[in-house]
Amino acid sequence: MATHSIPKIWRKAKVIAVEKPGKDPSLAANYRSISLLSVCYKLLEHLALQRISPTVKGLLSLDQAGFRKGRRTCDQAAALTTFIENGFQQNLKTGAVFLDLTAAYDTVWCSGHTGFLYKLSKSMPYWFTRLVSLLLRDPRFRMHMGNDTSAWRSQRNGLPQGSILAPVLFNLTPTTCQLHVAENSFTLMTYVSPFKANTSANWNAVSRQIWRGCHTSVDNYIIFNG
């Protein structure tokens, strides 16, 4: 760390392609990739996570239940159920929209690192931002399928699969995109991907408000992630 560098071999991953049961093996989409990272790389991440966890806990919204100690999907299921029941008792209709991010870690804007690190530096200590910069600098991977092995390739975007810090970095990514929710009077509940709920006596009003809110949310996420 004193030299602002880590061994390049730490940033190399062995990715094993595992065929999904009952799927056509001739299609690449029917394989699940398992990434094996350097033990030293993950040990360094673990040390950083132990130091940064209190800071991250103070930054994350209570709406976020994913990748957090003591939180789980049942929390959001209970929250949504309670929200619906409260609206029902007031003769209000409840509408909800669920947003699912396909390959969520790959949506994080890391290409070139500049934008991602700039936004990270706004809320995190300098040493942590610097460490993330080193960890994400030109990560490389090689695919293994049976006895076949590909050439080394660069991972140009997204967070490394199997990374200990990836869940934390993913959680920190959308925090600035959630600020408009209060303005639109929505209840935002997030696990990995967010969903929104709103109540009104008029169903058309619910539909319009949710549509406008989700449109803004998606636009903000795209802007944040380049």
Side-chain angles (χ1 to χ4, degrees), residues 103-114:
Y105 283 177
D106 293 338
T107 66
V108 177
W109 174 35
C110 294
S111 182
H113 310 311
T114 306

Side-chain angles (χ1 to χ4, degrees), residues 7-220:
K8 291 182 179 180
I9 195 172
W10 287 15
R11 297 192 294 266
K12 290 186 175 182
K14 178 180 180 179
V15 180
I16 301 175
V18 179
E19 182 183 344
K20 296 179 181 179
K23 300 291 185 178
D24 183 358
S26 64
L27 299 178
N30 292 334
Y31 287 83
R32 189 181 307 280
S33 59
I34 306 298
S35 180
L36 303 179
L37 301 177
S38 164
V39 174
C40 295
Y41 182 98
K42 298 183 75 169
L43 179 60
L44 178 59
E45 284 190 306
H46 183 73
L47 294 174
L49 180 61
Q50 294 301 308
R51 290 189 58 187
I52 208 66
S53 290
T55 303
V56 173
K57 183 178 180 180
L59 291 173
L60 296 181
S61 167
L62 293 176
D63 302 321
Q64 174 61 269
F67 306 132
R68 301 185 69 176
K69 187 177 181 179
R71 303 291 299 276
R72 50 185 178 174
T73 53
C74 293
D75 296 343
Q76 300 301 44
L80 178 60
T81 301
T82 302
F83 189 86
I84 294 173
E85 290 178 347
N86 290 341
F88 181 77
Q89 292 175 5
Q90 301 174 52
N91 293 322
L92 298 176
K93 300 177 178 66
T94 300
V97 172
F98 297 81
L99 304 178
D100 182 26
L101 300 177
T102 301
Y105 283 177
D106 293 338
T107 66
V108 177
W109 174 35
C110 294
S111 182
H113 310 311
T114 306
F116 176 74
L117 293 174
Y118 172 76
K119 294 182 183 296
L120 195 64
S121 67
K122 292 294 184 179
S123 56
M124 304 302 289
Y126 171 78
W127 71 264
F128 181 73
T129 304
R130 182 64 181 173
L131 176 61
V132 171
S133 173
L134 294 176
L135 294 174
L136 297 181
R137 181 182 298 169
D138 191 28
R140 301 176 68 81
F141 67 94
R142 185 165 61 183
M143 290 292 301
H144 294 257
M145 183 180 296
N147 295 323
D148 298 325
T149 304
S150 73
W152 287 104
R153 299 180 181 276
S154 295
Q155 181 177 340
R156 302 188 182 279
N157 210 11
L159 298 170
Q161 186 191 63
S163 164
I164 292 176
L165 285 177
V168 172
L169 295 176
F170 179 82
N171 274 353
L172 290 172
T173 300
T175 52
T176 58
C177 303
Q178 299 176 0
L179 300 180
H180 71 281
V181 173
E183 301 173 3
N184 290 323
S185 302
F186 284 97
T187 295
L188 180 69
M189 306 169 193
T190 308
Y191 189 71
V192 176
S193 302
F195 63 91
K196 298 183 174 188
N198 191 26
T199 56
S200 173
N202 186 295
W203 180 253
N204 290 331
V206 173
S207 301
R208 288 195 300 270
Q209 290 173 16
I210 287 182
W211 172 255
R212 285 197 298 267
C214 287
H215 189 275
T216 304
S217 179
V218 171
D219 283 349
N220 285 354

